[in-house]
Amino acid sequence: MNVDGKHFRTIWMNEADESIIEIIDQRHLPHEFVIEQLTTVDQVAVAIKDMHVRGAGLIGATAGYGMYVAVASLAPDSYISGDEIMRQMVTDGEKLKATRPTAVNLQWAVERQIAAMAAAGDDLSAKIAVAKQTAIDIADEDSDWCRRIGEHGVDIIEKISQVKNGETVNILTHCNAGWLAFVDYGSATAPMYAAHDKGIKIHVWVDETRPRNQGARLTAWELGQHGVPHTVIADNVGGHLMQHGQVDMVITGTDRTTYTGDVGNKIGTYLKALAANDNGVPFYTALPSSTFDWTMRDGVKEVPIEQRDATEVRMIQGLHDGEIKQVLLTPQDSPAANYAFDITPARLVTGLITERGVCDASEEGILGLYPEKK
Amino acid sequence: MNVDGKHFRTIWMNEADESIIEIIDQRHLPHEFVIEQLTTVDQVAVAIKDMHVRGAGLIGATAGYGMYVAVASLAPDSYISGDEIMRQMVTDGEKLKATRPTAVNLQWAVERQIAAMAAAGDDLSAKIAVAKQTAIDIADEDSDWCRRIGEHGVDIIEKISQVKNGETVNILTHCNAGWLAFVDYGSATAPMYAAHDKGIKIHVWVDETRPRNQGARLTAWELGQHGVPHTVIADNVGGHLMQHGQVDMVITGTDRTTYTGDVGNKIGTYLKALAANDNGVPFYTALPSSTFDWTMRDGVKEVPIEQRDATEVRMIQGLHDGEIKQVLLTPQDSPAANYAFDITPARLVTGLITERGVCDASEEGILGLYPEKK
């Protein structure tokens, strides 16, 4: 999507030197737009581990480019056999996989690269060429799936817009399921960008999403850069807005959705779904099908909920006099708890917006779109 | 309640010189415990206006002491007639009333003082004596009502404790309806302090309560100082905890409750009530009967919801290197909205805990306890 009027993805190859990978270092957002160059697999590992990049789709794409950087940075003049190259690739792949052990897309992208390079003949340049193409494919596929989520989701927004006679459609979102979490478009944001680009009048209520404030920091920034009207609100506000008819629909992303339609997403999503349900506001979750968990039946009982460091609740960072500073919010001695996700039961979800179309949040609905998973 | 092992109210007369009023300057909490001395009505007005003190009960008590300070600081040796004194008192009263125009308790305390002094004869010393006693009475009554809320509420906690065979009772609260908002005990916190002091094992989940963080700053501090086990959580977390049986009851305060039982309280309360309802967790609101609005029937339709400055959402203050600093959380250009309260419909409220006892959140229940309001 656009940054300051120019199109960007979250990761790309340097135009002049395609062995250099460039990313948006998201740690500095929204206060600074920093582009970082990555030329070694170690730099890529740090970028994933220290969250210069984050989000399932983007982590997968970064790992894909990371394996390309790994093979491209092998000295081309020293003789290396195909087996030696692959041994090095497995080592580098393990290094990448260790950075975020629970990120499924990361494992998957590394394995896909290793399989592609292993099948590419012994020549280093052949392996580099295959790895480069595979990295591009992974990123393009991610972008393409998100674009298609946008195409399916925009129909829902357009219908609401028609019912409102073209008046602004107010959409509430939680956390950042935006293009910054993928390669382009995002999941929850894809229908919003598609609607905005199509000239449908929308306005987005952006939950700040405590404790890590991905909404206030990232979603607000990317919507603003692309020119989408939006307003940041505290996570407490959505229910009040829905009671007063100021929300026409909710669209969230998800970190894991069961094949029965229970939506695991950033903590607080469940509360918004309850309010949407109580006020007759449609609640949608947008996801590429790679986010479905085809083994879990009961989200509340089965999905493990990560507990993160309490410091994320007790401290917050922001801009003070031009510098990013951390401040303490709580009494020194008060403990804090930091549950990262919650589960929104399928009964509260109006529909799922996937790259194949929109379906009910139910086993029947999901397997109807993905019959090969039966 | 206790601060560092010593009993405090939020406002009191200096022991050595009763013409000096002392308050806890709450702007410095939780990072510093600052006691401020007030000797003129202008100082009292600033303390209310700039929120050194806040909370309905405490604002009323401060206005009561403010009128005492006003009359006590009139020069005793210069001759002033009873009429002159009362003209000055009306002027000073208007000054106090203008500091927080919507605070009902403030108007009420000023009027009560003026009526008491007017009835006290022309002598300055007689008026001072009456104003002093009236200020003490207002504070004592506030404290006494909160203490009685505690006595009624503790029965509910004790029953849950018995059902759990003495295991810890987990109570969730939102915002600060603690003793810092009143003279002592608080409303929502009164049953918690009573339970704790009685040896019933409790633990309080403290919603941080964005955007002004009254939970993380004030409730966590006062519970900690009194020794009540507690954990600060982001406002997003309560639903998840309730889904997993980690909340036995919710107790909140209220800024205005209709005579039909709709609870106006800090923004986000409605979301917690929905989650409590969805998970069979009892949801109580504690209030002195002065907080009932005897004229409003439909909270969602009739209670005006204050919109505050967006800066409170965009910026936050905390401790950095020993100094209180403000940091910017959002992009410079992103707008924010700041709705201060929401309405929890009576159907989601299990009961109201008042100074007269516990009742249903319904017209019948409330008028049953307050038949004189029929």
Side-chain angles (χ1 to χ4, degrees):
Chain A
M1 308 314 295
N2 289 351
V3 177
D4 208 10
K6 194 183 154 201
H7 178 257
F8 275 88
R9 283 183 166 188
T10 49
I11 188 165
W12 63 93
M13 292 186 297
N14 179 285
E15 248 179 69
D17 179 353
E18 294 198 331
S19 71
I20 300 173
I21 302 306
E22 300 189 323
I23 59 166
I24 301 169
D25 184 348
Q26 301 188 17
R27 293 173 305 166
H28 303 273
L29 294 177
H31 308 299
E32 264 186 289
F33 181 64
V34 174
I35 291 174
E36 183 182 9
Q37 296 195 329
L38 308 172
T39 53
T40 70
V41 71
D42 287 325
Q43 288 173 346
V44 174
V46 168
I48 299 174
K49 188 177 171 55
D50 293 350
M51 298 178 78
H52 309 197
V53 293
R54 23 67 61 196
L58 177 53
I59 287 173
T62 307
Y65 281 113
M67 291 305 292
Y68 159 59
V69 161
V71 71
S73 60
L74 293 182
D77 46 355
S78 58
Y79 175 75
I80 307 183
S81 74
D83 281 356
E84 279 176 294
I85 294 172
M86 290 316 300
R87 271 198 295 279
Q88 186 59 43
M89 287 306 99
V90 169
T91 303
D92 288 347
E94 291 305 317
K95 194 178 284 175
L96 289 177
K97 287 201 262 182
T99 54
R100 298 284 304 268
T102 57
V104 175
N105 293 50
L106 198 165
Q107 323 294 318
W108 166 85
V110 168
E111 297 302 339
R112 178 164 166 184
Q113 279 283 27
I114 286 174
M117 284 190 265
D122 285 349
D123 188 50
L124 178 59
S125 63
K127 290 195 192 300
I128 293 174
V130 157
K132 180 178 168 183
Q133 190 56 49
T134 303
I136 293 170
D137 289 348
I138 291 172
D140 283 350
E141 285 166 20
D142 181 86
S143 170
D144 189 52
W145 283 25
C146 285
R147 187 183 51 73
R148 284 194 269 164
I149 288 170
E151 286 174 2
H152 297 300
V154 76
D155 293 344
I156 303 170
I157 299 175
E158 196 156 26
K159 270 179 204 142
I160 296 173
S161 172
Q162 284 162 0
V163 170
K164 291 187 82 176
N165 292 318
E167 263 183 60
T168 300
V169 178
N170 287 299
I171 305 170
L172 185 142
T173 192
H174 191 71
C175 198
N176 178 257
W179 70 274
L180 290 172
F182 293 89
V183 172
D184 209 349
Y185 305 103
S187 56
T189 52
M192 304 176 201
Y193 289 124
H196 179 76
D197 290 351
K198 217 173 162 175
I200 301 169
K201 274 199 273 180
I202 67 165
H203 164 263
V204 184
W205 295 109
V206 179
D207 275 0
E208 65 171 345
T209 319
R210 287 279 294 144
R212 288 176 61 83
N213 276 36
Q214 294 93 334
R217 291 195 298 113
L218 304 178
T219 305
W221 181 84
E222 61 167 88
L223 290 173
Q225 288 294 328
H226 198 74
V228 180
H230 66 282
T231 305
V232 178
I233 50 175
D235 301 306
N236 285 321
V237 177
H240 167 74
L241 294 174
M242 293 183 206
Q243 280 181 323
H244 291 272
Q246 293 186 74
V247 180
D248 295 303
M249 71 187 300
V250 179
I251 314 180
T252 75
T254 167
D255 294 87
R256 185 192 315 225
T257 290
T258 67
Y259 70 91
T260 54
D262 290 343
V263 171
N265 192 40
K266 187 62 53 191
I267 191 83
T269 303
Y270 167 51
L271 295 171
K272 296 307 142 59
L274 285 167
N277 186 255
D278 200 45
N279 292 284
V281 173
F283 180 99
Y284 287 94
T285 294
L287 71 166
S289 57
S290 53
T291 308
F292 281 116
D293 186 315
W294 301 104
T295 67
M296 284 190 184
R297 182 153 196 92
D298 184 325
V300 175
K301 284 203 188 124
E302 294 177 64
V303 175
I305 301 296
E306 178 186 357
Q307 266 195 274
R308 298 176 55 85
D309 194 319
T311 308
E312 293 182 351
V313 179
R314 295 167 38 79
M315 315 274 295
I316 198 165
Q317 74 170 34
L319 198 68
H320 178 85
D321 278 351
E323 277 178 56
I324 292 176
K325 290 212 152 67
Q326 283 242 332
V327 297
L328 174 70
L329 301 175
T330 61
Q332 284 287 4
D333 301 331
S334 285
N338 186 7
Y339 296 87
F341 304 100
D342 65 19
I343 304 297
T344 299
R347 67 184 149 88
L348 301 175
V349 181
T350 309
L352 302 172
I353 309 171
T354 78
E355 77 281 359
R356 286 201 193 161
V358 180
C359 69
D360 277 354
S362 67
E363 186 171 352
E364 204 186 358
I366 295 166
L367 292 177
L369 274 189
Y370 297 90
E372 73 274 22
K373 297 293 182 184
K374 266 178 197 163
Chain B
M1 309 312 296
N2 289 350
V3 177
D4 208 9
K6 194 183 155 202
H7 178 257
F8 275 88
R9 283 182 167 189
T10 48
I11 187 164
W12 63 92
M13 293 186 297
N14 180 286
E15 246 178 72
D17 178 352
E18 295 198 332
S19 71
I20 300 172
I21 302 305
E22 301 190 323
I23 59 166
I24 302 169
D25 184 347
Q26 301 188 18
R27 294 172 305 164
H28 304 272
L29 294 177
H31 307 300
E32 263 186 289
F33 181 65
V34 175
I35 292 173
E36 184 182 7
Q37 296 196 330
L38 307 172
T39 53
T40 70
V41 70
D42 287 325
Q43 289 173 345
V44 174
V46 168
I48 299 174
K49 188 176 171 56
D50 293 351
M51 298 177 78
H52 309 197
V53 293
R54 21 68 61 196
L58 177 52
I59 287 174
T62 306
Y65 281 113
M67 291 305 293
Y68 160 58
V69 162
V71 72
S73 59
L74 294 182
D77 45 356
S78 58
Y79 175 76
I80 308 183
S81 74
D83 281 356
E84 280 175 293
I85 294 172
M86 288 317 299
R87 272 198 294 279
Q88 184 61 42
M89 287 305 100
V90 169
T91 304
D92 288 346
E94 291 305 317
K95 195 178 282 175
L96 288 177
K97 287 202 260 181
T99 54
R100 299 281 305 268
T102 58
V104 175
N105 293 52
L106 197 164
Q107 322 297 318
W108 167 85
V110 168
E111 297 302 339
R112 178 163 165 183
Q113 280 281 27
I114 286 175
M117 284 190 265
D122 285 348
D123 187 51
L124 178 59
S125 64
K127 291 197 192 296
I128 293 175
V130 159
K132 180 177 166 183
Q133 190 56 48
T134 303
I136 293 171
D137 288 349
I138 291 172
D140 283 351
E141 284 166 21
D142 181 86
S143 170
D144 188 52
W145 282 24
C146 285
R147 187 184 51 73
R148 284 193 271 163
I149 288 171
E151 286 174 2
H152 296 300
V154 75
D155 293 343
I156 303 170
I157 300 175
E158 195 156 28
K159 271 179 203 139
I160 296 172
S161 171
Q162 284 162 358
V163 171
K164 291 186 82 175
N165 292 317
E167 261 181 62
T168 300
V169 178
N170 288 298
I171 305 170
L172 185 142
T173 192
H174 192 71
C175 198
N176 177 257
W179 70 275
L180 290 172
F182 293 88
V183 172
D184 208 349
Y185 305 102
S187 56
T189 53
M192 305 177 201
Y193 289 124
H196 178 76
D197 289 351
K198 214 172 163 176
I200 300 168
K201 274 198 273 181
I202 66 164
H203 164 263
V204 183
W205 296 108
V206 179
D207 275 0
E208 64 171 345
T209 319
R210 286 282 291 145
R212 288 177 60 85
N213 277 37
Q214 293 93 333
R217 290 195 300 111
L218 304 177
T219 306
W221 180 83
E222 62 166 87
L223 291 172
Q225 288 294 328
H226 198 75
V228 180
H230 66 282
T231 305
V232 178
I233 49 175
D235 301 306
N236 285 320
V237 177
H240 167 75
L241 294 174
M242 292 183 208
Q243 280 181 323
H244 291 272
Q246 293 184 74
V247 180
D248 296 303
M249 71 186 301
V250 179
I251 313 179
T252 75
T254 168
D255 294 87
R256 186 192 314 224
T257 289
T258 66
Y259 70 91
T260 54
D262 291 342
V263 172
N265 192 39
K266 188 61 53 193
I267 191 84
T269 302
Y270 167 51
L271 295 171
K272 294 308 142 56
L274 284 168
N277 186 254
D278 200 45
N279 293 284
V281 173
F283 180 100
Y284 287 94
T285 294
L287 71 166
S289 59
S290 53
T291 308
F292 281 116
D293 186 316
W294 301 104
T295 67
M296 285 192 182
R297 181 154 197 93
D298 184 325
V300 175
K301 284 202 187 123
E302 294 177 66
V303 175
I305 302 296
E306 177 186 359
Q307 266 195 275
R308 297 176 56 84
D309 194 319
T311 307
E312 292 183 351
V313 179
R314 295 167 39 79
M315 316 274 296
I316 197 166
Q317 76 170 31
L319 198 68
H320 177 85
D321 278 351
E323 276 176 57
I324 291 177
K325 289 212 153 65
Q326 281 241 333
V327 298
L328 173 71
L329 300 175
T330 61
Q332 284 286 6
D333 301 331
S334 286
N338 187 9
Y339 296 87
F341 305 100
D342 65 18
I343 305 296
T344 299
R347 67 184 147 86
L348 301 174
V349 180
T350 309
L352 302 172
I353 309 171
T354 77
E355 78 280 1
R356 286 201 193 161
V358 180
C359 69
D360 277 353
S362 66
E363 187 171 350
E364 203 186 357
I366 294 165
L367 292 178
L369 275 189
Y370 296 90
E372 72 275 23
K373 297 293 179 183
K374 266 180 195 160

